[in-house]
Amino acid sequence: MIDTTGLGPGFARLDIDANGKFTVDGGPGCSFTDSATPRRQGKVYNVSITLGGPPCRNPNTVMSGVAYYDPTTTHSLPTPGQLYLFAMRADREVGFLFTGKH
């Protein structure tokens, strides 16, 4: 679980289960779920995201991208580790960027 709730506008909570399914709570009434599948090497994942319906900005938008987990990042102490996730809609007009620690 990565939790940045309570830190101000634009922050979200992201939960990932052991099967790569994740849920993002993006604030009042906006949440979405989808999946991450590991690539062949390293801690890199292909991600698929479908935004929730209204009141989410760009409701029901489908995006794909990549996530990387760096377990050695120390700027997130006391618990090391950082997740970087980026996904875009196919036309590249809408994107989603998430960084967070667990």
Side-chain angles (χ1 to χ4, degrees):
M1 172 186 58
I2 296 170
D3 188 2
T4 59
T5 56
L7 298 178
F11 291 86
R13 177 185 172 117
L14 182 133
D15 294 302
I16 305 173
D17 73 15
N19 296 315
K21 296 289 184 189
F22 62 87
T23 302
V24 177
D25 179 358
C30 184
S31 63
F32 47 97
T33 60
D34 252 304
S35 63
T37 55
R39 290 190 177 184
R40 298 183 99 188
Q41 294 181 334
K43 297 183 181 343
V44 180
Y45 304 85
N46 293 319
V47 296
S48 172
I49 298 172
T50 303
L51 297 179
C56 289
R57 181 178 276 180
N58 302 298
N60 305 310
T61 296
V62 177
M63 294 183 275
S64 61
V66 63
Y68 170 68
Y69 178 69
D70 180 358
T72 64
T73 301
T74 58
H75 68 267
S76 59
L77 291 174
T79 305
Q82 186 82 16
L83 177 72
Y84 305 90
L85 186 152
F86 178 72
M88 292 186 79
R89 194 169 66 187
D91 65 6
R92 298 184 180 183
E93 295 291 321
V94 175
F96 175 77
L97 175 65
F98 181 92
T99 65
K101 63 179 184 171
H102 69 82

